[in-house]
Amino acid sequence: MKIPYQKAHDIIRLVILCLIGVVCINVVAGNKDPAIELSDRCPPYFRLDDQNLCRLSTLYDLYPLANPKWGGYRVALPERRDGYTPQLIDLGRYLFFDPVLSADGDLSCAHCHHPDFGMSDGRARSIGRHGRGLGPARTGGEELPRGAPMLWNMAFQQSFFWDGRAATLEEQIQTVLETSSEMATSPEQVVASLNEVAVYRRLFFEVFGDEEVSFSQVLRALVAFETSLVSLNSPYDRYIHGDQQAINAQEKNGLHIFRSFASRCSQCHAPPLFTSGQLATTGIPGQPGKPYDVGAESVLDEASLRGAFKVPALRNIARTAPFMHAGQFASLSEAVSFYNNEPGHAVADRDDLTLHWHIVNPHLRADEIMDLVAFLNTLTDEAALPQTPEVVPSGLRVPR
């Protein structure tokens, strides 16, 4: 059977790309276009306006920042990023799960931020390129210095990474793409790889109206998807909005402890996002056999930030063990118990640390620690957990 010249040319070109590691599409014969269509529906917690844009709509929006009469539990949400089309958000979802964005075609965003592990990876420290498998069972490859933060409520964040070194979500995404131990690629290679995939050219044209993919479009799609990952309707949220049966007596007591000035948890993990978004030195222990991680000190060259890390949000915290920037604690009870001891006790040279002023010994009883952990479990809401695609446009293996 004679193969038409253009079809033969396309197949040869695709094989060459596979060999040099740019992209390898599973469906080689015919370079078929999988039946991938972009969703025209907004994710949970978003409503579609008359301009085909998804706008976040929650009960917290009833409490405007400018209204001084609201206090206590009823705190308005900070400014957010929204207003993306459903199609752009869904395009970002496909890119997020597609290893085509990595230099070797073996690592996607979802390998470190997977729905099965609360949009993290269930590991103390993540494994970057050349790893095999998913989650805690992932092996091989290079172990990264820190764990993967979960991605909930990124729409409200003002800094990114554990040490706060990225000021925008775009900067964070590009840094991961270009880091040699992670995606190890470049904007130019990302664009070249995507433009070689007919499905992506079709999808990007549908969203942007351009014949070729650009890097700014890739960033915009990924940002649209990541900012759609909202978690704001947990049992805790239902309770503070009036459902007195949403949490039980133990959990209510845990909430009181969390808000108390004795524990001061809520001073850094401030509702409704349960983070201040600030950097704080809390005296987290180092990793055995490894140099002490100085955190934000190395980013800002500020001695007072030695050992400082961004205060993590606690939404869906029960789904993301182990805890802290390098998985130092296996359970929530271990993490809470750490803060129930003398400040700085876990660091040998604690005199070199400027501990956050809210780090005190609250002298909690064992039952109070249990109640506090019970409350943290009420912050679980995964209604907006994204669906893992059955296939991705590149045809590469979907992480699942």
Side-chain angles (χ1 to χ4, degrees):
M1 180 182 69
K2 290 187 66 177
I3 300 177
Y5 171 79
Q6 185 59 47
K7 187 172 182 180
H9 176 272
D10 289 344
I11 293 174
I12 292 170
R13 190 162 182 260
L14 185 59
V15 171
I16 292 173
L17 288 173
C18 290
L19 292 175
I20 65 175
V22 176
V23 60
C24 184
I25 301 177
N26 290 338
V27 187
V28 173
N31 192 21
K32 293 182 179 179
D33 184 339
I36 293 177
E37 301 297 335
L38 298 176
S39 175
D40 59 359
R41 301 180 63 182
C42 292
Y45 305 123
F46 290 82
R47 58 176 176 78
L48 193 65
D49 68 12
D50 56 7
Q51 296 179 321
N52 193 41
L53 300 177
C54 297
R55 300 292 185 183
L56 182 63
S57 180
T58 74
L59 287 173
Y60 287 100
D61 294 306
L62 298 175
Y63 315 127
L65 285 170
N67 192 334
K69 71 179 182 179
W70 296 114
Y73 295 137
R74 294 180 174 181
V75 180
L77 292 167
E79 292 184 7
R80 80 288 302 270
R81 297 184 68 170
D82 64 357
Y84 301 104
T85 67
Q87 293 81 4
L88 180 59
I89 293 170
D90 205 32
L91 175 59
R93 180 176 70 98
Y94 280 109
L95 290 169
F96 187 88
F97 284 91
D98 200 331
V100 74
L101 295 186
S102 64
D104 306 307
D106 64 353
L107 185 64
S108 71
C109 304
H111 277 91
C112 291
H113 304 282
H114 198 277
D116 289 352
F117 305 99
M119 299 311 294
S120 182
D121 62 1
R123 293 185 54 85
R125 297 167 62 198
S126 297
I127 290 178
R129 63 190 303 203
H130 305 318
R132 299 178 300 278
L134 191 68
R138 186 166 169 79
T139 59
E142 182 177 350
E143 192 173 48
L144 304 179
R146 298 167 186 158
M150 57 184 168
L151 297 183
W152 293 106
N153 296 330
M154 290 291 100
F156 306 98
Q157 299 300 315
Q158 301 298 318
S159 66
F160 303 88
F161 292 115
W162 278 107
D163 53 18
R165 66 185 182 273
T168 66
L169 195 48
E170 287 88 345
E171 182 183 354
Q172 182 272 327
I173 293 168
Q174 184 166 349
T175 300
V176 171
L177 289 171
E178 295 180 337
T179 298
S180 60
S181 57
E182 298 184 58
M183 299 297 211
T185 186
S186 67
E188 294 76 17
Q189 183 174 346
V190 167
V191 168
S193 298
L194 293 176
N195 277 313
E196 290 297 335
V197 182
V199 186
Y200 272 124
R201 290 200 307 273
R202 172 174 63 81
L203 297 179
F204 272 81
F205 180 80
E206 177 183 336
V207 172
F208 295 103
D210 296 332
E211 294 292 341
E212 291 192 348
V213 177
S214 72
F215 189 65
S216 63
Q217 293 170 350
V218 174
L219 291 180
R220 184 168 175 79
L222 286 169
V223 167
F225 168 69
E226 291 189 23
T227 55
S228 76
L229 303 175
V230 172
S231 180
L232 290 168
N233 193 30
S234 66
Y236 159 82
D237 297 295
R238 297 194 293 275
Y239 171 70
I240 64 165
H241 289 308
D243 182 358
Q244 295 298 305
Q245 306 305 313
I247 63 177
N248 62 32
Q250 181 188 25
E251 294 160 347
K252 291 175 184 177
N253 190 53
L255 171 59
H256 296 322
I257 296 169
F258 184 88
R259 287 170 45 85
S260 72
F261 198 69
S263 71
R264 307 189 188 185
C265 303
S266 63
Q267 302 301 308
C268 289
H269 298 284
L273 299 180
F274 287 87
T275 178
S276 63
Q278 299 174 344
L279 298 167
T281 302
T282 61
I284 298 298
Q287 304 168 58
K290 297 186 179 298
Y292 183 69
D293 189 340
V294 300
E297 180 189 27
S298 63
V299 176
L300 300 174
D301 193 24
E302 172 56 56
S304 66
L305 292 177
R306 180 176 179 80
F309 294 91
K310 186 181 172 185
V311 176
L314 300 182
R315 295 283 180 171
N316 292 315
I317 190 68
R319 294 278 288 116
T320 59
F323 304 102
M324 306 303 173
H325 62 272
Q328 286 91 335
F329 303 120
S331 67
L332 282 173
S333 59
E334 285 185 21
V336 172
S337 296
F338 163 78
Y339 289 111
N340 201 40
N341 290 313
E342 181 183 357
H345 68 92
V347 180
D349 299 323
R350 58 180 168 179
D351 290 341
D352 294 337
L353 303 181
T354 305
L355 294 176
H356 193 280
W357 71 282
H358 282 304
I359 303 300
V360 296
N361 184 339
H363 302 288
L364 299 179
R365 303 186 307 268
D367 63 303
E368 291 175 319
I369 292 175
M370 292 176 60
D371 291 352
L372 188 49
V373 171
F375 164 69
L376 293 176
N377 278 273
T378 72
L379 300 178
T380 302
D381 164 35
E382 294 185 306
L385 206 63
Q387 182 178 2
T388 301
E390 290 298 321
V391 295
V392 288
S394 71
L396 291 167
R397 184 184 298 275
V398 179
R400 60 174 75 254

